[in-house]
């Protein structure tokens, strides 16, 4: 079954860190670029970060630049998001998504909730 | 930065009716880089349309996309009960390389 499964979310205090993981199954992970996309409670979708299939190109939204780091491990079919210096406004469900040529996302995980609060 | 605006914010319709959702870009967007997603509460978004008008695998033909330049439209020809959801448009371009519109909620009248 083709799927993406996120993990690693939870409650963290402002200034803290978390590492999210996204495990891919049933798909040749290395063929695709990947992104993290988040959704604050009751809000819309916000793209967070992009990593190319080779990991040679990486982009971040301005809101997370310098604090978040995206990476991937092809051998483990996994995508990661290291989140440091977390703020209350980072509270959201974080989705990993598979990207396709043309800039759209055709496969999404179910998301993992990150709550930043003291 | 390209900003996407969706209208209306909420669309109240009955099953069987036609829904027309608008997505307007602040600058011209390549049609090949415009997509639409459906999100049912509590679920992840689902790709409906890519390249402005190409239905994704398994999407019923009551969903159609059109438009070019700065104006794009998602049409649901006859609403089914499972279509009541939030719909987002999304573009791929320059920094930030991916942007989403704020969404249109289609709810039951």
């Amino acid at each position: 079954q083709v799927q993406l499964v996120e993990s690693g979310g939870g409650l963290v205090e402002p200034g803290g860190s978390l590492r999210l993981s996204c495990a891919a199954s049933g798909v040749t992970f290395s063929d695709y670029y990947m992104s993290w996309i988040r959704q604050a409670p009751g809000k819309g979708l916000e793209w967070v970060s992009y990593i190319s299939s080779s990991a040679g190109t990486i982009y971040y939204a301005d809101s997370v630049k310098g604090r978040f780091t995206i990476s991937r491990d092809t051998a483990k079919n996994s995508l990661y998001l290291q989140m440091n210096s977390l703020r209350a406004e980072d509270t959201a469900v974080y989705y990993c998504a598979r990207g396709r040529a043309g800039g759209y996302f055709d496969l999404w995980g179910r998301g993992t909730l990150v709550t930043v609060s003291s | 930065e390209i900003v996407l605006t969706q209208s209306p914010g909420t669309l109240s319709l009955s099953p069987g009716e036609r829904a027309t959702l608008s997505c307007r870009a602040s600058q011209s967007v390549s049609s090949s880089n415009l997509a639409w997603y459906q999100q049912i509460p509590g679920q992840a978004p689902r790709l409906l349309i890519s390249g402005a008008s190409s239905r994704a695998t398994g999407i019923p033909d009551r969903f159609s996309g059109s438009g070019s330049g700065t104006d794009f439209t998602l049409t649901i020809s006859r609403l089914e009960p499972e279509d009541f959801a939030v719909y987002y448009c999304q573009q791929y371009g320059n920094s930030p390389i991916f942007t989403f519109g704020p969404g249109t909620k289609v709810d039951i009248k």
Side-chain angles (χ1 to χ4, degrees), chain A residues 61-77:
Chain A
D62 287 345
S63 56
V64 306
K65 201 173 295 182
R67 301 187 297 123
F68 289 12
T69 302
I70 192 171
S71 61
R72 64 192 296 163
D73 185 332
T74 299
K76 295 183 177 180
N77 259 15

mmCIF file of all heavy atoms in Angstrom, chain A residues 61-77:
data_model
loop_
_atom_site.group_PDB
_atom_site.id
_atom_site.type_symbol
_atom_site.label_atom_id
_atom_site.label_comp_id
_atom_site.label_asym_id
_atom_site.label_seq_id
_atom_site.Cartn_x
_atom_site.Cartn_y
_atom_site.Cartn_z
ATOM 1 N N ALA A 61 10.223 28.129 3.811
ATOM 2 C CA ALA A 61 9.406 29.325 3.939
ATOM 3 C C ALA A 61 10.133 30.312 4.849
ATOM 4 O O ALA A 61 10.871 29.908 5.755
ATOM 5 C CB ALA A 61 8.046 28.972 4.527
ATOM 6 N N ASP A 62 9.918 31.593 4.611
ATOM 7 C CA ASP A 62 10.587 32.614 5.421
ATOM 8 C C ASP A 62 10.261 32.450 6.906
ATOM 9 O O ASP A 62 11.084 32.755 7.766
ATOM 10 C CB ASP A 62 10.174 34.017 4.963
ATOM 11 C CG ASP A 62 10.803 34.400 3.629
ATOM 12 O OD1 ASP A 62 11.770 33.718 3.205
ATOM 13 O OD2 ASP A 62 10.326 35.374 3.022
ATOM 14 N N SER A 63 9.069 31.954 7.207
ATOM 15 C CA SER A 63 8.613 31.843 8.595
ATOM 16 C C SER A 63 9.419 30.826 9.399
ATOM 17 O O SER A 63 9.383 30.861 10.637
ATOM 18 C CB SER A 63 7.132 31.485 8.642
ATOM 19 O OG SER A 63 6.889 30.287 7.922
ATOM 20 N N VAL A 64 10.132 29.919 8.726
ATOM 21 C CA VAL A 64 10.873 28.877 9.449
ATOM 22 C C VAL A 64 12.364 28.876 9.123
ATOM 23 O O VAL A 64 13.129 28.121 9.727
ATOM 24 C CB VAL A 64 10.290 27.474 9.178
ATOM 25 C CG1 VAL A 64 8.784 27.457 9.479
ATOM 26 C CG2 VAL A 64 10.569 27.012 7.763
ATOM 27 N N LYS A 65 12.769 29.720 8.187
ATOM 28 C CA LYS A 65 14.168 29.740 7.751
ATOM 29 C C LYS A 65 15.097 30.032 8.924
ATOM 30 O O LYS A 65 14.837 30.933 9.717
ATOM 31 C CB LYS A 65 14.329 30.794 6.652
ATOM 32 C CG LYS A 65 15.538 30.620 5.764
ATOM 33 C CD LYS A 65 15.499 31.617 4.614
ATOM 34 C CE LYS A 65 14.346 31.382 3.684
ATOM 35 N NZ LYS A 65 14.319 32.313 2.527
ATOM 36 N N GLY A 66 16.147 29.231 9.034
ATOM 37 C CA GLY A 66 17.101 29.388 10.123
ATOM 38 C C GLY A 66 16.746 28.618 11.381
ATOM 39 O O GLY A 66 17.562 28.521 12.297
ATOM 40 N N ARG A 67 15.522 28.096 11.437
ATOM 41 C CA ARG A 67 15.090 27.345 12.623
ATOM 42 C C ARG A 67 14.799 25.883 12.298
ATOM 43 O O ARG A 67 14.984 25.018 13.151
ATOM 44 C CB ARG A 67 13.829 27.985 13.213
ATOM 45 C CG ARG A 67 14.002 29.438 13.640
ATOM 46 C CD ARG A 67 12.759 29.945 14.385
ATOM 47 N NE ARG A 67 11.558 29.935 13.551
ATOM 48 C CZ ARG A 67 10.443 29.285 13.855
ATOM 49 N NH1 ARG A 67 10.365 28.585 14.967
ATOM 50 N NH2 ARG A 67 9.398 29.338 13.047
ATOM 51 N N PHE A 68 14.312 25.616 11.093
ATOM 52 C CA PHE A 68 13.946 24.253 10.696
ATOM 53 C C PHE A 68 14.962 23.727 9.686
ATOM 54 O O PHE A 68 15.508 24.498 8.879
ATOM 55 C CB PHE A 68 12.559 24.238 10.050
ATOM 56 C CG PHE A 68 11.412 24.486 10.981
ATOM 57 C CD1 PHE A 68 11.600 24.947 12.275
ATOM 58 C CD2 PHE A 68 10.109 24.258 10.551
ATOM 59 C CE1 PHE A 68 10.529 25.173 13.122
ATOM 60 C CE2 PHE A 68 9.031 24.476 11.387
ATOM 61 C CZ PHE A 68 9.237 24.938 12.667
ATOM 62 N N THR A 69 15.171 22.403 9.722
ATOM 63 C CA THR A 69 16.066 21.753 8.760
ATOM 64 C C THR A 69 15.392 20.510 8.207
ATOM 65 O O THR A 69 14.978 19.637 8.986
ATOM 66 C CB THR A 69 17.403 21.357 9.414
ATOM 67 O OG1 THR A 69 18.029 22.526 9.959
ATOM 68 C CG2 THR A 69 18.329 20.725 8.392
ATOM 69 N N ILE A 70 15.278 20.435 6.901
ATOM 70 C CA ILE A 70 14.694 19.273 6.236
ATOM 71 C C ILE A 70 15.820 18.349 5.776
ATOM 72 O O ILE A 70 16.916 18.809 5.401
ATOM 73 C CB ILE A 70 13.808 19.707 5.042
ATOM 74 C CG1 ILE A 70 12.966 18.541 4.518
ATOM 75 C CG2 ILE A 70 14.654 20.325 3.933
ATOM 76 C CD1 ILE A 70 11.905 18.962 3.485
ATOM 77 N N SER A 71 15.562 17.051 5.833
ATOM 78 C CA SER A 71 16.538 16.077 5.338
ATOM 79 C C SER A 71 15.788 14.816 4.925
ATOM 80 O O SER A 71 14.602 14.666 5.221
ATOM 81 C CB SER A 71 17.588 15.764 6.405
ATOM 82 O OG SER A 71 16.989 15.207 7.556
ATOM 83 N N ARG A 72 16.500 13.940 4.241
ATOM 84 C CA ARG A 72 15.901 12.675 3.843
ATOM 85 C C ARG A 72 16.948 11.582 3.877
ATOM 86 O O ARG A 72 18.149 11.851 3.720
ATOM 87 C CB ARG A 72 15.269 12.797 2.457
ATOM 88 C CG ARG A 72 16.223 13.070 1.318
ATOM 89 C CD ARG A 72 15.487 13.460 0.028
ATOM 90 N NE ARG A 72 14.654 12.372 -0.472
ATOM 91 C CZ ARG A 72 13.683 12.555 -1.372
ATOM 92 N NH1 ARG A 72 13.432 13.763 -1.876
ATOM 93 N NH2 ARG A 72 12.973 11.531 -1.787
ATOM 94 N N ASP A 73 16.490 10.356 4.091
ATOM 95 C CA ASP A 73 17.362 9.180 4.102
ATOM 96 C C ASP A 73 16.751 8.174 3.136
ATOM 97 O O ASP A 73 15.749 7.533 3.463
ATOM 98 C CB ASP A 73 17.454 8.612 5.524
ATOM 99 C CG ASP A 73 18.448 7.456 5.633
ATOM 100 O OD1 ASP A 73 18.668 6.740 4.634
ATOM 101 O OD2 ASP A 73 18.995 7.263 6.731
ATOM 102 N N THR A 74 17.354 8.074 1.961
ATOM 103 C CA THR A 74 16.796 7.202 0.930
ATOM 104 C C THR A 74 16.817 5.746 1.361
ATOM 105 O O THR A 74 15.876 4.993 1.096
ATOM 106 C CB THR A 74 17.578 7.389 -0.377
ATOM 107 O OG1 THR A 74 17.448 8.749 -0.797
ATOM 108 C CG2 THR A 74 17.058 6.479 -1.470
ATOM 109 N N ALA A 75 17.859 5.341 2.047
ATOM 110 C CA ALA A 75 17.975 3.938 2.481
ATOM 111 C C ALA A 75 16.846 3.564 3.434
ATOM 112 O O ALA A 75 16.397 2.421 3.458
ATOM 113 C CB ALA A 75 19.321 3.701 3.143
ATOM 114 N N LYS A 76 16.375 4.534 4.210
ATOM 115 C CA LYS A 76 15.298 4.287 5.158
ATOM 116 C C LYS A 76 13.947 4.746 4.620
ATOM 117 O O LYS A 76 12.939 4.667 5.341
ATOM 118 C CB LYS A 76 15.587 4.990 6.482
ATOM 119 C CG LYS A 76 16.812 4.448 7.209
ATOM 120 C CD LYS A 76 17.018 5.133 8.551
ATOM 121 C CE LYS A 76 18.203 4.533 9.286
ATOM 122 N NZ LYS A 76 18.429 5.180 10.606
ATOM 123 N N ASN A 77 13.921 5.218 3.370
ATOM 124 C CA ASN A 77 12.664 5.715 2.791
ATOM 125 C C ASN A 77 11.981 6.718 3.714
ATOM 126 O O ASN A 77 10.764 6.648 3.936
ATOM 127 C CB ASN A 77 11.712 4.546 2.508
ATOM 128 C CG ASN A 77 11.701 4.166 1.046
ATOM 129 O OD1 ASN A 77 12.571 4.562 0.276
ATOM 130 N ND2 ASN A 77 10.703 3.403 0.642
#
